[in-house]
Amino acid sequence: MNKFYVSTKIYSGPNSLDVLGRFHGKRVWVVCDSFIAKSPAIGRLTRQLEPHNLVQIYSDITPDPSIGLVVRGIGQFLDFRPQLVIGFGGGSAIDAAKAIVYFARQQGHDIETCIAIPTTSGTGSEVTSFSVVKARSEKLVLVDPSLLPDIAILDPSLVASVPPAITADTGMDVLCHALEAYVSRAASDFSDALAEKVVQQVFRYLPACWRDGHDLLAREKMHNASCMAGMAFTNASLGITHSLAHALGGVFRVPHGRANALLMAQVVAWNADHDGQCDTQAAHKYARLAHLLDLPAQTPREGVNSLLVAIQALKEEMKMPTSIGDTGLLAADFDQRLAEMVSQALRDNCTPTNPRAPDARALTELYRKAWCGTLAAGH
């Protein structure tokens, strides 16, 4: 039996931030990073809330928020006792806000409303039951329905100033969410429909966002795609691209979207090509995506190869590194931590729903191929 649920209310499009004007007489706690706290965006947010609400800002969030940061946040949460919590920023801020609310609720402290307002188009955290936090050099993936925000606000003007490199990283994260949800063992007709739409929108609109961040139509389409991909994977889960990327990012601090981009093609090729036949269910679904993108896909192998070429071309168009070795990491350091990363990836919550079950040897090979940018045999 499959299940599919979307409990978060979504407000999207220009001026969707105006929905905050409906709140009055609330204690509002805003979770963000220090950059957002000093940017014009925070002024836009607080103007919607003040003077009708009491607003406090917690701006200690850093990339890949740690368990310690979440614990400190819980302390401030308990001091302020907010009725409304807003995660405002990229995936790290929203994940941190969700984790703080989750653990505070576990202690019996409830809130009325949790709102997520993304300022990047990437994680889809505003509509997912996932939160990623870091413990030492390992990223831990929390998964619980109570992590879903009550409201998500997708205002494309909030992402207009995102720099091209971050636009590329986060945009490839969106693509990876769609690809992995699409071939997941838990995929359904509902998640497939979202994933197919996301893939089409990424290839059409991500390059436009990268070239001109103030193209608000392209920004809106990518913002929506990010949210739809989140809806797909919170129901279907993900796969080993994310497992490998979580470990790579945890150990070497590679930005999450970039880590996914560096590993994506290798995993697609490996999922598709079991025993050299390229006749897996994943291969047929990848070929379906190639067809939707108007790429050559007369056979599953041709479709998979077309999709791999398109992924590579998209990365090259946005001047992204095409291998882990191109990121500046030292080969000796990578080799020294390889077994540790493989162990983490095997334990990751995203691994069980990958369409092809991996072992340590397979994950080691995928890391090594991604180091030099090569694919599985036959691709």
Side-chain angles (χ1 to χ4, degrees):
M1 179 178 69
N2 292 320
K3 68 175 181 178
F4 186 93
Y5 58 91
V6 182
S7 62
T8 304
K9 294 179 181 179
I10 302 167
Y11 298 88
S12 65
N15 302 315
S16 53
L17 201 62
D18 292 352
V19 74
L20 293 174
R22 67 176 58 178
F23 294 101
H24 289 79
K26 305 296 184 184
R27 298 170 68 84
V28 182
W29 196 53
V30 180
V31 180
C32 63
D33 61 34
S34 59
F35 176 81
I36 287 288
K38 298 172 184 174
S39 74
I42 198 70
R44 288 190 58 195
L45 180 73
T46 56
R47 281 194 295 275
Q48 292 290 341
L49 295 164
E50 297 171 340
H52 305 294
N53 303 278
L54 179 62
V55 180
Q56 186 179 95
I57 296 172
Y58 176 56
S59 61
D60 291 351
I61 305 304
T62 58
D64 300 327
S66 67
I67 289 290
L69 185 150
V70 170
V71 170
R72 291 195 299 275
I74 293 171
Q76 291 204 18
F77 174 99
L78 296 177
D79 287 341
F80 186 56
R81 300 296 178 110
Q83 297 157 296
L84 177 64
V85 173
I86 299 176
F88 186 51
S92 294
I94 295 174
D95 277 7
K98 289 162 59 175
I100 291 167
V101 169
Y102 171 78
F103 288 116
R105 282 172 168 165
Q106 294 295 306
Q107 299 177 33
H109 304 283
D110 207 357
I111 65 165
E112 294 178 9
T113 310
C114 179
I115 298 177
I117 307 175
T119 60
T120 61
S121 303
T123 67
S125 185
E126 68 274 7
V127 290
T128 75
S129 56
F130 289 59
S131 178
V132 181
V133 295
K134 191 171 180 180
R136 297 183 181 178
S137 64
E138 183 170 0
K139 288 189 176 182
L140 304 177
V141 184
L142 307 176
V143 186
D144 192 279
S146 66
L147 287 164
L148 280 160
D150 301 299
I151 294 173
I153 299 175
L154 310 177
D155 193 319
S157 66
L158 292 173
V159 294
S161 61
V162 175
I166 297 177
T167 296
D169 288 346
T170 54
M172 293 303 287
D173 196 18
V174 175
L175 178 60
C176 192
H177 289 155
L179 290 177
E180 296 220 287
Y182 196 57
V183 300
S184 164
R185 292 173 182 265
S188 67
D189 288 346
F190 304 97
S191 59
D192 280 0
L194 288 164
E196 288 176 357
K197 182 66 173 179
V198 169
V199 170
Q200 290 175 301
Q201 292 203 175
V202 169
F203 277 97
R204 180 172 180 182
Y205 293 107
L206 178 55
C209 289
W210 181 81
R211 289 191 298 268
D212 178 10
H214 293 278
D215 181 342
L216 287 187
L217 173 62
R219 286 294 195 187
E220 182 176 0
K221 295 295 186 181
M222 276 304 301
H223 222 27
N224 291 345
S226 175
C227 185
M228 289 188 290
M231 292 162 63
F233 86 75
T234 199
N235 284 279
S237 193
L238 294 163
I240 59 172
T241 309
H242 271 77
S243 305
L244 295 165
H246 287 150
L248 179 65
V251 171
F252 290 112
R253 303 190 67 83
V254 177
H256 176 64
R258 189 174 309 168
N260 276 329
L262 293 167
L263 291 151
M264 188 187 310
Q266 283 71 27
V267 172
V268 168
W270 187 78
N271 282 341
D273 199 18
H274 183 59
D275 293 333
Q277 300 301 309
C278 204
D279 194 34
T280 61
Q281 182 181 16
H284 285 268
K285 295 192 82 169
Y286 291 138
R288 165 69 178 164
L289 292 177
H291 174 75
L292 291 174
L293 294 170
D294 295 322
L295 301 172
Q298 292 299 311
T299 66
R301 182 174 293 280
E302 183 181 44
V304 171
N305 285 333
S306 294
L307 183 61
L308 291 170
V309 169
I311 292 170
Q312 182 71 6
L314 184 60
K315 291 193 291 185
E316 290 178 354
E317 181 175 358
M318 296 187 295
K319 304 186 187 308
M320 301 185 74
T322 56
S323 70
I324 297 174
D326 290 338
T327 64
L329 294 180
L330 297 178
D333 292 340
F334 183 78
D335 289 341
Q336 183 181 14
R337 306 294 295 273
L338 182 57
E340 176 188 350
M341 292 191 296
V342 168
S343 178
Q344 288 184 20
L346 281 171
R347 298 194 304 270
D348 195 285
N349 281 337
C350 298
T351 297
T353 44
N354 196 73
R356 185 177 173 188
D359 56 18
R361 181 177 178 180
L363 296 184
T364 300
E365 180 183 3
L366 287 168
Y367 268 134
R368 291 200 182 281
K369 288 182 179 296
W371 173 264
C372 54
T374 59
L375 301 176
H379 294 283

